[in-house]
Amino acid sequence: MGILNVTPDSFHDGGRHFSPEAAVERALAMAEEGADFLDVGGESTRPGARPVPPAEEARRVVPVIAAIVRRTSVPVSVDTRNAAVAAEALDAGAVIVNDVSGLRHDPRMAGVVAGRWAAAVVMHMRGTPETMQEDTRYDDLVAEVAASLREGVRLAEEVGVAEILVDPGIGFGKSAAQNYAILARLREFAPPGRPLLAGVSRKSFIGSALGLPPSERLEGTIAAAVAAALNGAAVVRVHDVREVSRALRVADAVRAAVASPGDSWSSSG
Ligand code: HH2
């Protein structure tokens, strides 16, 4: 899943794709580079970020989504917590709503997704982006996050959302050590039959291992994306589609060999 932040302040690509022309160009480039989904967001949810008024968020993303769907068949998701933004984005051609609040922030969200036959990404976050890093204590991190995801999935199922992905929310109200624990135990977060999504790209837990800023975290992102894939992620959300999709093709070959060891042993490839 390629990240397209149409924002002035996202922690890595903020300001780079803030004009609609630059945003559409980047989306088409990511489609060429092998993205299976394009995730368009108009509000930064980095730690400490202030909320963006929904009207401004819609103004940023809706024309960009409309232009992208005219020019590529790669499915578009909208990264938003606001039902009004989701509704406009779906009407403009998006088919997935990626909600970092797990459909909790806006009580109308689940209904909007179901009513437009869209898919949902249910992500775990504790609190809001503004406050989420203030308290990262959990009694049992994996159990609490998994329970919250199950509840989000239940909310979506209750109103008839058919396609639901779950995401433990790496970096959303978790310490670096907790983010590594989540990556290591990723499989434990998926309710039966629900694909897992992981967002690792250039995040601060990578910086904490390397002592490097976001611009220097490509190799760390590739390592984290491969770890996520080998631990069960069906989708990895990244800025660097070309590099990560090449790495994931190799990780997929490893996964396939684990699934059928005899075949890979006897092949000459
Ligand atoms: N991370 C970010 C935003 N949306 N959605 C899902 N499902 N999972 C994630 O891990 C996730 C997400 C934050 O990253 P980014 O979009 O790169 O930055 P910003 O919030 O500053 O725009």
Side-chain angles (χ1 to χ4, degrees):
M1 172 179 273
I3 301 173
L4 183 69
N5 285 315
V6 190
T7 59
D9 58 345
S10 287
F11 80 93
H12 175 58
D13 60 349
R16 284 190 210 174
H17 321 116
F18 199 40
S19 80
E21 297 74 25
V24 174
E25 196 181 314
R26 179 65 194 139
L28 298 177
M30 289 194 290
E32 283 287 306
E33 290 173 10
D36 293 318
F37 306 97
L38 297 167
D39 189 37
V40 183
E43 177 187 52
S44 172
T45 49
R46 71 189 185 286
R50 305 292 309 274
V52 173
E56 168 62 12
E57 200 190 337
R59 194 191 63 75
R60 293 176 183 178
V61 298
V62 173
V64 169
I65 290 171
I68 294 171
V69 300
R70 278 198 297 273
R71 309 225 355 229
T72 175
S73 58
V74 175
V76 172
S77 73
V78 60
D79 184 349
T80 185
R81 305 180 280 165
N82 294 305
V85 178
E88 279 193 57
L90 295 172
D91 292 344
V95 292
I96 304 170
V97 175
N98 172 25
D99 184 343
V100 297
S101 79
L103 312 178
R104 275 20 173 258
H105 173 77
D106 188 329
R108 294 162 303 172
M109 183 63 104
V112 162
V113 178
R116 286 168 171 78
W117 302 101
V121 178
V122 170
M123 200 197 80
H124 173 269
M125 167 169 63
R126 204 163 63 174
T128 64
E130 227 174 337
T131 60
M132 65 191 176
Q133 290 305 115
E134 284 169 11
D135 179 8
T136 59
R137 282 168 305 176
Y138 295 79
D139 289 329
D140 183 335
L141 171 74
V142 174
E144 285 174 44
V145 172
S148 166
L149 289 174
R150 279 197 302 276
E151 175 58 17
V153 169
R154 197 192 59 74
L155 273 174
E157 284 174 344
E158 206 170 68
V159 293
V161 179
E163 302 284 340
I164 306 164
L165 292 92
V166 296
D167 179 344
I170 290 172
F172 286 84
K174 289 106 181 171
S175 67
Q178 288 166 341
N179 289 317
Y180 282 104
I182 288 173
L183 259 186
R185 298 179 62 182
L186 204 56
R187 268 177 226 284
E188 296 175 49
F189 297 98
R194 300 299 181 189
L196 275 166
L197 187 150
V200 296
S201 202
R202 295 182 180 263
K203 286 187 176 171
S204 66
F205 75 103
I206 296 171
S208 79
L210 298 176
L212 292 169
S215 61
E216 298 282 327
R217 295 177 189 164
L218 173 59
E219 301 87 344
T221 295
I222 293 171
V226 167
L230 294 179
N231 287 337
V235 182
V236 185
R237 182 180 178 277
V238 292
H239 302 93
D240 305 281
V241 171
R242 183 196 310 277
E243 294 83 351
V244 174
S245 67
R246 285 180 183 169
L248 290 181
R249 269 155 55 201
V250 177
D252 276 348
V254 176
R255 278 208 294 206
V258 171
S260 54
D263 295 350
S264 65
W265 184 248
S266 61
S267 92
S268 57

